Amino acid sequence: MSEERYGEFVLVRRHGDGGHVAELALDRPKAMNAVSTQMARSVGAACAALGADPGVRVVVLTSTHERAFCVGADLKERNSFSDADLVRQRPVARGAYTGVLELPVPTIAAVHGFALGGGFELALSCDVIVADRTAVVGLPEVSVGVIPGGGGTQLLPRRVGAARAAELIFTARRVEAAEARELGLVDQLVEEGRDREEALALAGRIAGNSPVGLRAAKRALRLGQGLDLRAGLEVEDAAWRAVAFSGDRAEGVAAFNEKRKPAWPGE
């Protein structure tokens, strides 16, 4: 396993043969991973690097804090901001959330403890959320006079529907793990302390598949959201054409017929 640090608060670890699974660890334990300007900038930079790396097949978003995934924006830092400071910081903050959202490979969030506000929005930006039984999630922004600004008002309805999302955002309530799984706020619920392990295991299974196929499948899934069926099928067809004549497709068919594990060329 190799490690690379992005600034003070973000650590990237590469797992497995070939390092195809990248773990992006939020590492600001003294502040329960509250997203400061510096941390947001580092998350964005790490995502840009991982997205541009053809060797990365899956990204797992984790936390080094024992009791929290991420508690959201750094309100202590925000308390010192002038209006002009807040305007200047906004693109940096958005860059962290869109950085995760726009990763071209499958992404998994491993959540334990508090995942609130921007912390939950980071998880919502991932394709799959694995949570342990200590997880507490929510978007409490209206309780401090703002609204979710990291994609929450758009991503949450896509998970749980407009009415449920409205209730959760308007009440600013926190949702514990069992209810979060029941409502679809998280996808897998695992035993306490096993969120990272289970998320990395899932990532390893995903990473065994075609890197070209994974990127194309994610593109089709994301671009097709919200479209009518006919338009969505056109998105799917375009993604299919991107892989149909690839080296991965040729290798996958050959490996199936030769009853062996594929050696994906990734192109």
Side-chain angles (χ1 to χ4, degrees):
M1 181 174 67
S2 64
E3 294 188 347
E4 182 178 3
R5 187 165 286 280
Y6 288 80
E8 185 179 355
F9 303 131
V10 173
L11 180 65
V12 171
R13 303 183 178 109
R14 302 290 288 266
H15 296 268
D17 294 338
H20 298 310
V21 174
E23 177 186 2
L24 194 164
L26 306 176
D27 187 31
R28 196 187 178 204
K30 291 183 180 179
M32 300 181 81
N33 290 329
V35 182
S36 64
T37 304
Q38 181 183 346
M39 184 174 176
R41 186 174 288 113
S42 295
V43 170
C47 287
L50 292 172
D53 186 340
V56 174
R57 299 182 186 175
V58 189
V59 173
V60 181
L61 187 61
T62 68
S63 162
T64 63
H65 195 285
E66 293 182 355
R67 295 188 296 110
F69 174 72
C70 173
V71 294
D74 186 342
L75 296 185
K76 291 183 178 179
E77 180 188 59
R78 294 277 181 92
N79 193 46
S80 68
F81 279 5
S82 66
D83 288 350
D85 292 332
L86 191 59
V87 169
R88 283 191 292 269
Q89 196 246 14
R90 176 61 174 163
V92 178
R94 285 195 71 187
Y97 301 108
T98 58
V100 176
L101 184 65
E102 294 177 359
L103 280 165
V105 298
T107 51
I108 304 167
V111 174
H112 60 267
F114 297 114
L116 301 172
F120 189 38
E121 288 173 307
L122 286 172
L124 288 171
S125 297
C126 294
D127 299 302
V128 179
I129 302 175
V130 176
D132 82 356
R133 295 188 181 279
T134 69
V136 179
V137 305
L139 296 175
E141 283 86 350
V142 298
S143 70
V144 293
V146 291
I147 70 167
T153 65
Q154 305 304 305
L155 295 170
L156 189 58
R158 285 166 166 78
R159 271 190 163 265
V160 300
R164 179 67 69 189
E167 181 263 320
L168 292 168
I169 291 171
F170 294 162
T171 61
R173 73 182 179 95
R174 299 180 178 190
V175 182
E176 296 187 359
E179 184 185 5
R181 177 65 184 90
E182 181 181 344
L183 296 179
L185 299 174
V186 304
D187 302 301
Q188 294 184 22
L189 188 59
V190 300
E191 294 303 315
E192 180 176 345
R194 292 184 57 86
D195 54 294
R196 177 176 177 268
E197 179 183 350
E198 295 290 345
L200 287 171
L202 175 60
R205 294 194 294 274
I206 293 171
N209 295 312
S210 158
V212 172
L214 289 172
R215 289 179 179 240
K218 175 160 182 172
R219 188 163 62 250
L221 284 164
R222 285 291 176 91
L223 293 179
Q225 285 184 0
L227 300 179
D228 63 48
L229 180 58
R230 185 180 297 276
L233 290 173
E234 290 303 315
V235 168
E236 181 183 81
D237 186 65
W240 179 86
R241 290 176 186 277
V243 300
F245 309 104
S246 68
D248 274 15
R249 196 278 310 171
E251 169 61 12
V253 172
F256 176 84
N257 283 285
E258 295 166 13
K259 296 180 172 55
R260 58 174 176 81
K261 184 178 179 180
W264 302 114
E267 58 185 20

PDB file of all heavy atoms in Angstrom, residues 118-143:
ATOM      1  N   GLY A 118     -22.185  19.280   5.059  1.00  0.00           N
ATOM      2  CA  GLY A 118     -21.254  19.005   3.971  1.00  0.00           C
ATOM      3  C   GLY A 118     -20.620  17.632   4.047  1.00  0.00           C
ATOM      4  O   GLY A 118     -20.238  17.058   3.023  1.00  0.00           O
ATOM      5  N   GLY A 119     -20.522  17.078   5.251  1.00  0.00           N
ATOM      6  CA  GLY A 119     -20.000  15.720   5.370  1.00  0.00           C
ATOM      7  C   GLY A 119     -20.911  14.706   4.718  1.00  0.00           C
ATOM      8  O   GLY A 119     -20.470  13.801   4.005  1.00  0.00           O
ATOM      9  N   PHE A 120     -22.222  14.863   4.951  1.00  0.00           N
ATOM     10  CA  PHE A 120     -23.171  13.958   4.297  1.00  0.00           C
ATOM     11  C   PHE A 120     -23.224  14.228   2.803  1.00  0.00           C
ATOM     12  O   PHE A 120     -23.404  13.309   2.000  1.00  0.00           O
ATOM     13  CB  PHE A 120     -24.547  14.099   4.936  1.00  0.00           C
ATOM     14  CG  PHE A 120     -25.546  13.069   4.484  1.00  0.00           C
ATOM     15  CD1 PHE A 120     -25.170  11.746   4.251  1.00  0.00           C
ATOM     16  CD2 PHE A 120     -26.876  13.415   4.301  1.00  0.00           C
ATOM     17  CE1 PHE A 120     -26.084  10.796   3.840  1.00  0.00           C
ATOM     18  CE2 PHE A 120     -27.806  12.477   3.888  1.00  0.00           C
ATOM     19  CZ  PHE A 120     -27.416  11.161   3.654  1.00  0.00           C
ATOM     20  N   GLU A 121     -23.039  15.483   2.403  1.00  0.00           N
ATOM     21  CA  GLU A 121     -23.031  15.799   0.976  1.00  0.00           C
ATOM     22  C   GLU A 121     -21.845  15.145   0.268  1.00  0.00           C
ATOM     23  O   GLU A 121     -21.970  14.720  -0.887  1.00  0.00           O
ATOM     24  CB  GLU A 121     -23.026  17.312   0.780  1.00  0.00           C
ATOM     25  CG  GLU A 121     -24.363  17.946   1.117  1.00  0.00           C
ATOM     26  CD  GLU A 121     -24.335  19.448   1.097  1.00  0.00           C
ATOM     27  OE1 GLU A 121     -23.474  20.044   1.774  1.00  0.00           O
ATOM     28  OE2 GLU A 121     -25.181  20.042   0.403  1.00  0.00           O
ATOM     29  N   LEU A 122     -20.704  15.050   0.934  1.00  0.00           N
ATOM     30  CA  LEU A 122     -19.578  14.312   0.343  1.00  0.00           C
ATOM     31  C   LEU A 122     -19.969  12.856   0.116  1.00  0.00           C
ATOM     32  O   LEU A 122     -19.655  12.270  -0.923  1.00  0.00           O
ATOM     33  CB  LEU A 122     -18.350  14.408   1.243  1.00  0.00           C
ATOM     34  CG  LEU A 122     -17.621  15.743   1.267  1.00  0.00           C
ATOM     35  CD1 LEU A 122     -16.553  15.746   2.359  1.00  0.00           C
ATOM     36  CD2 LEU A 122     -16.975  16.036  -0.093  1.00  0.00           C
ATOM     37  N   ALA A 123     -20.651  12.263   1.100  1.00  0.00           N
ATOM     38  CA  ALA A 123     -21.099  10.881   0.940  1.00  0.00           C
ATOM     39  C   ALA A 123     -22.145  10.761  -0.165  1.00  0.00           C
ATOM     40  O   ALA A 123     -22.103   9.826  -0.978  1.00  0.00           O
ATOM     41  CB  ALA A 123     -21.658  10.357   2.262  1.00  0.00           C
ATOM     42  N   LEU A 124     -23.088  11.708  -0.205  1.00  0.00           N
ATOM     43  CA  LEU A 124     -24.115  11.684  -1.244  1.00  0.00           C
ATOM     44  C   LEU A 124     -23.519  11.835  -2.638  1.00  0.00           C
ATOM     45  O   LEU A 124     -24.127  11.390  -3.628  1.00  0.00           O
ATOM     46  CB  LEU A 124     -25.125  12.813  -1.013  1.00  0.00           C
ATOM     47  CG  LEU A 124     -26.090  12.660   0.161  1.00  0.00           C
ATOM     48  CD1 LEU A 124     -26.865  13.956   0.371  1.00  0.00           C
ATOM     49  CD2 LEU A 124     -27.041  11.495  -0.044  1.00  0.00           C
ATOM     50  N   SER A 125     -22.350  12.437  -2.736  1.00  0.00           N
ATOM     51  CA  SER A 125     -21.685  12.605  -4.031  1.00  0.00           C
ATOM     52  C   SER A 125     -21.102  11.301  -4.549  1.00  0.00           C
ATOM     53  O   SER A 125     -20.697  11.228  -5.712  1.00  0.00           O
ATOM     54  CB  SER A 125     -20.584  13.662  -3.919  1.00  0.00           C
ATOM     55  OG  SER A 125     -21.120  14.929  -3.598  1.00  0.00           O
ATOM     56  N   CYS A 126     -21.048  10.288  -3.688  1.00  0.00           N
ATOM     57  CA  CYS A 126     -20.524   8.987  -4.091  1.00  0.00           C
ATOM     58  C   CYS A 126     -21.643   8.115  -4.662  1.00  0.00           C
ATOM     59  O   CYS A 126     -22.823   8.375  -4.468  1.00  0.00           O
ATOM     60  CB  CYS A 126     -19.877   8.289  -2.893  1.00  0.00           C
ATOM     61  SG  CYS A 126     -18.396   9.126  -2.270  1.00  0.00           S
ATOM     62  N   ASP A 127     -21.255   7.068  -5.358  1.00  0.00           N
ATOM     63  CA  ASP A 127     -22.224   6.166  -5.983  1.00  0.00           C
ATOM     64  C   ASP A 127     -22.886   5.233  -4.973  1.00  0.00           C
ATOM     65  O   ASP A 127     -24.055   4.874  -5.115  1.00  0.00           O
ATOM     66  CB  ASP A 127     -21.543   5.335  -7.079  1.00  0.00           C
ATOM     67  CG  ASP A 127     -20.966   6.208  -8.173  1.00  0.00           C
ATOM     68  OD1 ASP A 127     -21.735   6.976  -8.777  1.00  0.00           O
ATOM     69  OD2 ASP A 127     -19.744   6.144  -8.418  1.00  0.00           O
ATOM     70  N   VAL A 128     -22.121   4.812  -3.965  1.00  0.00           N
ATOM     71  CA  VAL A 128     -22.605   3.864  -2.958  1.00  0.00           C
ATOM     72  C   VAL A 128     -22.150   4.364  -1.593  1.00  0.00           C
ATOM     73  O   VAL A 128     -21.022   4.832  -1.442  1.00  0.00           O
ATOM     74  CB  VAL A 128     -22.058   2.442  -3.207  1.00  0.00           C
ATOM     75  CG1 VAL A 128     -22.542   1.479  -2.131  1.00  0.00           C
ATOM     76  CG2 VAL A 128     -22.450   1.934  -4.596  1.00  0.00           C
ATOM     77  N   ILE A 129     -23.039   4.254  -0.592  1.00  0.00           N
ATOM     78  CA  ILE A 129     -22.684   4.621   0.778  1.00  0.00           C
ATOM     79  C   ILE A 129     -22.775   3.380   1.653  1.00  0.00           C
ATOM     80  O   ILE A 129     -23.841   2.760   1.773  1.00  0.00           O
ATOM     81  CB  ILE A 129     -23.609   5.713   1.336  1.00  0.00           C
ATOM     82  CG1 ILE A 129     -23.566   6.973   0.459  1.00  0.00           C
ATOM     83  CG2 ILE A 129     -23.212   6.062   2.779  1.00  0.00           C
ATOM     84  CD1 ILE A 129     -24.550   8.043   0.880  1.00  0.00           C
ATOM     85  N   VAL A 130     -21.636   3.016   2.255  1.00  0.00           N
ATOM     86  CA  VAL A 130     -21.572   1.927   3.229  1.00  0.00           C
ATOM     87  C   VAL A 130     -21.443   2.571   4.606  1.00  0.00           C
ATOM     88  O   VAL A 130     -20.518   3.359   4.834  1.00  0.00           O
ATOM     89  CB  VAL A 130     -20.374   1.003   2.960  1.00  0.00           C
ATOM     90  CG1 VAL A 130     -20.269  -0.066   4.045  1.00  0.00           C
ATOM     91  CG2 VAL A 130     -20.486   0.357   1.576  1.00  0.00           C
ATOM     92  N   ALA A 131     -22.353   2.268   5.514  1.00  0.00           N
ATOM     93  CA  ALA A 131     -22.338   2.884   6.842  1.00  0.00           C
ATOM     94  C   ALA A 131     -22.339   1.817   7.922  1.00  0.00           C
ATOM     95  O   ALA A 131     -22.942   0.752   7.751  1.00  0.00           O
ATOM     96  CB  ALA A 131     -23.559   3.785   7.009  1.00  0.00           C
ATOM     97  N   ASP A 132     -21.680   2.130   9.033  1.00  0.00           N
ATOM     98  CA  ASP A 132     -21.765   1.208  10.161  1.00  0.00           C
ATOM     99  C   ASP A 132     -22.871   1.690  11.110  1.00  0.00           C
ATOM    100  O   ASP A 132     -23.515   2.716  10.888  1.00  0.00           O
ATOM    101  CB  ASP A 132     -20.413   1.016  10.848  1.00  0.00           C
ATOM    102  CG  ASP A 132     -20.047   2.104  11.846  1.00  0.00           C
ATOM    103  OD1 ASP A 132     -20.801   3.089  11.990  1.00  0.00           O
ATOM    104  OD2 ASP A 132     -18.989   1.960  12.494  1.00  0.00           O
ATOM    105  N   ARG A 133     -23.106   0.933  12.165  1.00  0.00           N
ATOM    106  CA  ARG A 133     -24.261   1.185  13.018  1.00  0.00           C
ATOM    107  C   ARG A 133     -24.115   2.403  13.915  1.00  0.00           C
ATOM    108  O   ARG A 133     -25.061   2.775  14.624  1.00  0.00           O
ATOM    109  CB  ARG A 133     -24.574  -0.065  13.843  1.00  0.00           C
ATOM    110  CG  ARG A 133     -25.011  -1.232  12.954  1.00  0.00           C
ATOM    111  CD  ARG A 133     -25.512  -2.427  13.737  1.00  0.00           C
ATOM    112  NE  ARG A 133     -25.893  -3.503  12.841  1.00  0.00           N
ATOM    113  CZ  ARG A 133     -27.050  -3.579  12.199  1.00  0.00           C
ATOM    114  NH1 ARG A 133     -27.957  -2.630  12.387  1.00  0.00           N
ATOM    115  NH2 ARG A 133     -27.317  -4.584  11.400  1.00  0.00           N
ATOM    116  N   THR A 134     -22.949   3.037  13.911  1.00  0.00           N
ATOM    117  CA  THR A 134     -22.793   4.276  14.671  1.00  0.00           C
ATOM    118  C   THR A 134     -23.133   5.509  13.834  1.00  0.00           C
ATOM    119  O   THR A 134     -23.141   6.629  14.360  1.00  0.00           O
ATOM    120  CB  THR A 134     -21.344   4.434  15.169  1.00  0.00           C
ATOM    121  OG1 THR A 134     -20.467   4.678  14.051  1.00  0.00           O
ATOM    122  CG2 THR A 134     -20.881   3.195  15.922  1.00  0.00           C
ATOM    123  N   ALA A 135     -23.419   5.327  12.558  1.00  0.00           N
ATOM    124  CA  ALA A 135     -23.598   6.465  11.653  1.00  0.00           C
ATOM    125  C   ALA A 135     -24.814   7.308  12.041  1.00  0.00           C
ATOM    126  O   ALA A 135     -25.876   6.786  12.385  1.00  0.00           O
ATOM    127  CB  ALA A 135     -23.733   5.976  10.219  1.00  0.00           C
ATOM    128  N   VAL A 136     -24.625   8.615  11.947  1.00  0.00           N
ATOM    129  CA  VAL A 136     -25.702   9.594  12.125  1.00  0.00           C
ATOM    130  C   VAL A 136     -25.569  10.594  10.984  1.00  0.00           C
ATOM    131  O   VAL A 136     -24.545  11.262  10.864  1.00  0.00           O
ATOM    132  CB  VAL A 136     -25.606  10.325  13.469  1.00  0.00           C
ATOM    133  CG1 VAL A 136     -26.724  11.357  13.600  1.00  0.00           C
ATOM    134  CG2 VAL A 136     -25.655   9.336  14.628  1.00  0.00           C
ATOM    135  N   VAL A 137     -26.583  10.669  10.141  1.00  0.00           N
ATOM    136  CA  VAL A 137     -26.480  11.499   8.943  1.00  0.00           C
ATOM    137  C   VAL A 137     -27.556  12.578   8.958  1.00  0.00           C
ATOM    138  O   VAL A 137     -28.573  12.465   9.647  1.00  0.00           O
ATOM    139  CB  VAL A 137     -26.602  10.647   7.660  1.00  0.00           C
ATOM    140  CG1 VAL A 137     -25.566   9.525   7.657  1.00  0.00           C
ATOM    141  CG2 VAL A 137     -28.003  10.072   7.503  1.00  0.00           C
ATOM    142  N   GLY A 138     -27.345  13.627   8.172  1.00  0.00           N
ATOM    143  CA  GLY A 138     -28.359  14.666   8.077  1.00  0.00           C
ATOM    144  C   GLY A 138     -27.835  15.916   7.412  1.00  0.00           C
ATOM    145  O   GLY A 138     -26.624  16.099   7.257  1.00  0.00           O
ATOM    146  N   LEU A 139     -28.777  16.755   7.020  1.00  0.00           N
ATOM    147  CA  LEU A 139     -28.463  18.050   6.412  1.00  0.00           C
ATOM    148  C   LEU A 139     -29.094  19.137   7.285  1.00  0.00           C
ATOM    149  O   LEU A 139     -30.227  19.568   7.041  1.00  0.00           O
ATOM    150  CB  LEU A 139     -29.008  18.109   4.983  1.00  0.00           C
ATOM    151  CG  LEU A 139     -28.401  17.103   3.988  1.00  0.00           C
ATOM    152  CD1 LEU A 139     -29.118  17.186   2.647  1.00  0.00           C
ATOM    153  CD2 LEU A 139     -26.903  17.340   3.813  1.00  0.00           C
ATOM    154  N   PRO A 140     -28.369  19.613   8.300  1.00  0.00           N
ATOM    155  CA  PRO A 140     -28.946  20.541   9.276  1.00  0.00           C
ATOM    156  C   PRO A 140     -28.768  22.019   8.941  1.00  0.00           C
ATOM    157  O   PRO A 140     -28.943  22.871   9.807  1.00  0.00           O
ATOM    158  CB  PRO A 140     -28.158  20.191  10.546  1.00  0.00           C
ATOM    159  CG  PRO A 140     -26.797  19.827  10.035  1.00  0.00           C
ATOM    160  CD  PRO A 140     -27.044  19.108   8.717  1.00  0.00           C
ATOM    161  N   GLU A 141     -28.438  22.340   7.697  1.00  0.00           N
ATOM    162  CA  GLU A 141     -28.030  23.702   7.360  1.00  0.00           C
ATOM    163  C   GLU A 141     -29.062  24.775   7.703  1.00  0.00           C
ATOM    164  O   GLU A 141     -28.701  25.879   8.127  1.00  0.00           O
ATOM    165  CB  GLU A 141     -27.660  23.786   5.869  1.00  0.00           C
ATOM    166  CG  GLU A 141     -26.303  23.211   5.522  1.00  0.00           C
ATOM    167  CD  GLU A 141     -26.314  21.718   5.271  1.00  0.00           C
ATOM    168  OE1 GLU A 141     -27.360  21.080   5.556  1.00  0.00           O
ATOM    169  OE2 GLU A 141     -25.303  21.177   4.803  1.00  0.00           O
ATOM    170  N   VAL A 142     -30.364  24.493   7.503  1.00  0.00           N
ATOM    171  CA  VAL A 142     -31.354  25.549   7.776  1.00  0.00           C
ATOM    172  C   VAL A 142     -31.383  25.919   9.255  1.00  0.00           C
ATOM    173  O   VAL A 142     -31.852  27.008   9.599  1.00  0.00           O
ATOM    174  CB  VAL A 142     -32.767  25.168   7.280  1.00  0.00           C
ATOM    175  CG1 VAL A 142     -32.766  24.979   5.766  1.00  0.00           C
ATOM    176  CG2 VAL A 142     -33.308  23.935   7.996  1.00  0.00           C
ATOM    177  N   SER A 143     -30.853  25.060  10.115  1.00  0.00           N
ATOM    178  CA  SER A 143     -30.835  25.372  11.547  1.00  0.00           C
ATOM    179  C   SER A 143     -29.776  26.405  11.903  1.00  0.00           C
ATOM    180  O   SER A 143     -29.787  26.942  13.016  1.00  0.00           O
ATOM    181  CB  SER A 143     -30.611  24.092  12.369  1.00  0.00           C
ATOM    182  OG  SER A 143     -29.297  23.597  12.202  1.00  0.00           O
TER     183      SER A 143
END
